[in-house]
Amino acid sequence: MPTEFELAAQFDVSRPTIREALKRLAAQNLIRSKRGPAGGTFVNGFEMKDATEFLASSTMLMISMGAVEMENIIQTRKILQAECCKLALQNWSDTYMAGLNQCLDHQQDSSISDSEFCAADVAFHRYITDATENPMLQMIVYSIIDALVPVMNMTIVRLRSREKIIGFHQQICQAFSEQNQDQLLTVLNELLDYLNDTFNQQHEAKQQ
């Protein structure tokens, strides 16, 4: 990148303004500085996973600050994951089926901790998103899953039933196996409704 002096002249602003802008870009890991004869300010590479992490952290922040209602998040998740399921069905193969069953098998291990169960839940839904083979859709849905699933699982951990979630996931696997789109979307909605209802129960209990 040009020097601070050159940037200030180019944009007709002061050097402190440029310095502050560069600090903000560095904080987002978009640029890096290097000292020495070959030093300067350099633009970092930006990959899909970086965009996903940024979206996930932003979503997590909005959830933690109460800037967005859980009903809105669940509604968005229903819409996006329904489209993921439809597209995944078009690309479905034995390889994807084996991977989804592997995620389910891990969830069914009663010895795993709540955090491990949560990680297996994330992996399960990520695997369906992978089957869309659509990088842009993956980036958006990953960000919601990565931000929402851990918060939801750990918030409702006392009320939610592992057995019920596993049951929903078993039905999802069966629907994929049978290529039954209607059943797949029905079960997905039932799962998300269950999570939303459980979250609301937990929220009401805290307010009492």
Side-chain angles (χ1 to χ4, degrees), residues 71-85 144 185 188-194 196:
E71 286 78 8
N72 298 137
I73 299 173
I74 292 291
Q75 184 182 51
T76 302
R77 187 177 170 189
K78 279 184 176 181
I79 294 170
L80 291 176
Q81 287 200 261
E83 293 306 312
C84 282
C85 287
I144 295 177
L185 298 182
L188 176 65
N189 281 330
E190 289 176 351
L191 167 61
L192 295 178
D193 284 340
Y194 167 72
N196 188 52

Side-chain angles (χ1 to χ4, degrees), residues 8 49 61 64 110 115-116 120 131 147 194:
K49 66 179 182 63
L61 180 61
S64 65
S110 60
S115 61
E116 289 173 321
Y194 167 72

Side-chain angles (χ1 to χ4, degrees), residues 102-115:
Q102 185 176 13
C103 294
L104 180 59
D105 288 343
H106 186 51
Q107 276 194 304
Q108 292 175 301
D109 182 354
S110 60
S111 68
I112 63 176
S113 65
D114 287 323
S115 61

Side-chain angles (χ1 to χ4, degrees), residues 168 180-191 193:
F168 285 124
N180 189 332
Q181 178 175 297
D182 290 341
Q183 178 65 10
L184 179 58
L185 298 182
T186 297
V187 176
L188 176 65
N189 281 330
E190 289 176 351
L191 167 61
D193 284 340

